[in-house]
Amino acid sequence: MRTCAVIAEFNPFHYGHAYLLKEARRQSQAQCMLVLMSGNSVQRGEFAILDKWQRAQSALLNGADLVLELPAAATIQAADYFARRSAELVAALQCDFLAFASQGLDAHAYHDLYRLLNDHQSTFDNYLKSALKEGASYPKAYEIALESLQRDRFIKDPVNLKEGNNLLGFGYYQELHQTKTKMIIIQREKKAETIFQSLELPQNLMPGQIFSASQLRSRMVHGQLQAADLPIASYQAYLSGPLIRWEDYYPLLKYAIISRGISQLKAIHLMKDGVETAIYQAALHSTSYEDLLDRLVNQRWTRAAVQRVLLQILLANSKSQWQSALNVFDEKPALRVLGFNRRGQAFLKSRRQGAIQLFTNLSQTIEDSYQLNLKVDRIYQNNLNHQVPEQIVKRRAMILRF
């Protein structure tokens, strides 16, 4: 069956996501819309504001046929790694298409950039190393190196990966351009009216504007969210809660940092450049999660990079443990099915003998391949401020009978 995949976090699921799913189905003519979605941890080193079961249900009620959970080994990583690791799974699942949003870039732009970097990789690497030595963060250094290379090669229309999801899109392109999976690039639609017309929303449900995921999270935690700001399923999930924030885990994080000390922090996955000392000292004097971040974020280390390392500390993932878990997953890849409808069920049946095991119920035979996600869920449930619904025991894939 013709299948189109979307890689997403849906944190939370909003009207822009619904538009993406509908456009992806329209352009691909897919019989099954498959979503590979981050679980309870997301790429920027945070816990999802709504749990994975709530977000998967919102997706299924708004255009998805099947929702699979991305492995934490892909989600708690920098954007380029996240993109390429996730796209690799799309290819392994033998999806016909991968659809993703872009801002101003088309297939030609991605192709030209790929060829440029492929032909001048050593020059690009030198620019990247130079920018890093001057104190730029990795994302900023990558941006500087790319601009420098395009200027050197007299590129008339330089590609800008800063906008929207363009960096993720380039990662998808790098991984998939030589596979059988075709890419559908959907330009991000900013006009609310166009989105609402496409989704055929009734007049009384149309919001005044489209908010980004970060804007919606802010409105949620500050009690400013209106019913019209989100699709009905997402708004109902917001009302039922709880809303999960990093601050809820700050006492656990501070304890984890101080109890380990500098020597043990050094062994944590993603820890580098002697940052363990800065984290330890900042934790000693911090009074809240935001205070801890303020003491650590700087020109060289972005908020997202800091948060990813802090999440690894909270999860107690050492470099060796992380690599071991990654090796097990690569040897026996397994993805959890969060929910599906009739079309999604047909896809699952067609992939029973595939390279990746798609499971609906967690068993001991699968736990090794799922261990990183399992740890995330267990910590996620140990929220100090909210009663978080069970994420693991007796949780089965949601089935929509249509």
Side-chain angles (χ1 to χ4, degrees):
M1 63 189 307
R2 183 184 291 247
T3 304
C4 181
V6 167
I7 297 167
E9 291 187 328
F10 296 158
N11 187 31
F13 187 93
H14 57 66
Y15 283 117
H17 297 137
Y19 176 79
L20 173 64
L21 290 176
K22 187 162 187 178
E23 274 297 296
R25 189 188 294 276
R26 183 184 69 81
Q27 293 189 31
S28 66
Q29 293 297 297
Q31 297 159 296
C32 177
M33 280 301 305
L34 182 156
V35 173
L36 277 167
M37 187 188 79
S38 297
N40 286 325
S41 60
V42 296
Q43 189 267 326
R44 290 181 59 82
E46 298 174 330
F47 288 116
I49 196 166
L50 296 171
D51 75 46
K52 61 187 181 185
W53 302 101
Q54 293 171 303
R55 287 152 43 230
Q57 183 177 49
S58 294
L60 288 168
L61 291 170
N62 287 276
D65 297 313
L66 171 63
V67 181
L68 304 177
E69 181 182 6
L70 281 168
T75 60
I76 316 174
Q77 297 285 354
D80 53 346
Y81 186 96
F82 169 88
R84 299 189 70 167
R85 186 80 180 179
S86 301
E88 184 181 75
L89 292 172
V90 171
L93 288 166
Q94 299 179 340
C95 295
D96 300 292
F97 301 93
L98 171 67
F100 59 91
S102 180
Q103 192 158 319
L105 300 184
D106 57 16
H108 295 295
Y110 284 118
H111 179 69
D112 290 345
L113 181 59
Y114 175 82
R115 288 188 58 187
L116 178 68
L117 290 181
N118 194 53
D119 293 343
H120 305 282
Q121 188 65 55
S122 60
T123 303
F124 175 82
D125 290 343
N126 289 334
Y127 279 130
L128 183 64
K129 291 175 184 177
S130 177
L132 289 171
K133 283 183 180 180
E134 292 179 8
S137 64
Y138 182 83
K140 184 63 178 178
Y142 192 97
E143 176 189 327
I144 292 171
L146 185 59
E147 289 177 350
S148 300
L149 178 61
Q150 292 183 96
R151 184 175 59 249
D152 281 359
R153 306 310 303 174
F154 304 103
I155 304 299
K156 294 181 179 179
D157 298 309
V159 173
N160 181 3
L161 295 182
K162 290 187 296 182
E163 297 294 335
N165 296 320
N166 290 351
L167 180 59
L168 291 174
F170 186 54
Y172 301 149
Y173 186 89
Q174 288 176 299
E175 188 63 36
L176 294 177
H177 79 288
Q178 290 184 332
T179 70
K180 293 181 179 179
T181 301
K182 299 177 182 178
M183 286 167 279
I184 295 176
I185 302 173
I186 298 173
Q187 295 303 316
R188 294 185 68 179
E189 180 56 62
K190 296 181 179 180
K191 293 182 179 179
E193 184 179 355
T194 301
I195 292 177
F196 300 146
Q197 287 177 350
S198 172
L199 297 176
E200 300 177 335
L201 287 176
Q203 190 68 34
N204 63 321
L205 290 181
M206 290 188 182
Q209 65 181 101
I210 294 292
F211 293 103
S212 67
S214 60
Q215 290 172 325
L216 287 166
R217 291 193 297 272
S218 177
R219 290 173 71 81
M220 284 176 162
V221 299
H222 291 102
Q224 299 170 340
L225 195 72
Q226 302 296 315
D229 292 341
L230 287 171
I232 294 174
S234 291
Y235 188 72
Q236 289 175 336
Y238 159 73
L239 292 178
S240 62
L243 301 180
I244 307 303
R245 303 174 63 191
W246 238 123
E247 198 69 52
D248 300 332
Y249 303 88
Y250 169 72
L252 298 177
L253 174 63
K254 185 170 182 176
Y255 172 80
I257 294 171
I258 295 175
S259 63
R260 282 181 175 79
I262 295 174
S263 61
Q264 291 184 41
L265 288 175
K266 191 172 184 178
I268 293 293
H269 177 58
L270 298 181
M271 193 72 72
K272 57 184 179 180
D273 300 332
V275 174
E276 63 274 3
T277 301
I279 290 177
Y280 181 79
Q281 293 297 330
L284 288 177
H285 300 97
S286 65
T287 57
S288 68
Y289 180 71
E290 286 299 323
D291 180 35
L292 178 60
L293 278 184
D294 288 342
R295 294 171 184 270
L296 293 171
V297 175
N298 54 43
Q299 183 181 3
R300 187 176 183 84
W301 219 21
T302 65
R303 181 184 177 99
V306 171
Q307 291 189 146
R308 283 192 290 270
V309 174
L310 294 180
L311 186 54
Q312 297 291 357
I313 294 172
L314 183 62
L315 296 172
N317 286 325
S318 69
K319 293 179 173 69
S320 60
Q321 289 171 329
W322 184 271
Q323 188 58 52
S324 175
L326 195 59
N327 292 342
V328 171
F329 180 86
D330 287 341
E331 184 178 340
K332 299 185 297 182
L335 298 178
R336 185 163 200 165
V337 180
L338 298 178
F340 57 89
N341 60 20
R342 287 187 297 103
R343 292 180 290 271
Q345 186 177 36
F347 176 89
L348 292 173
K349 288 181 179 179
S350 71
R351 298 300 191 275
R352 279 180 177 169
Q353 305 303 319
I356 299 178
Q357 184 172 359
L358 306 178
F359 66 95
T360 55
N361 301 319
L362 184 61
S363 64
Q364 288 186 334
T365 58
I366 296 173
E367 277 196 22
D368 282 350
S369 298
Y370 192 67
Q371 58 184 287
L372 293 177
N373 290 64
L374 199 57
K375 187 184 289 189
V376 168
D377 286 350
R378 286 171 174 156
I379 299 298
Y380 190 81
Q381 289 181 181
N382 279 275
N383 188 297
L384 299 182
N385 295 328
H386 303 289
Q387 186 70 39
V388 176
E390 175 63 48
Q391 299 294 300
I392 306 165
V393 179
K394 295 182 180 179
R395 291 303 298 254
R396 298 187 177 186
M398 294 171 286
I399 304 175
L400 274 62
R401 304 292 183 183
F402 61 83

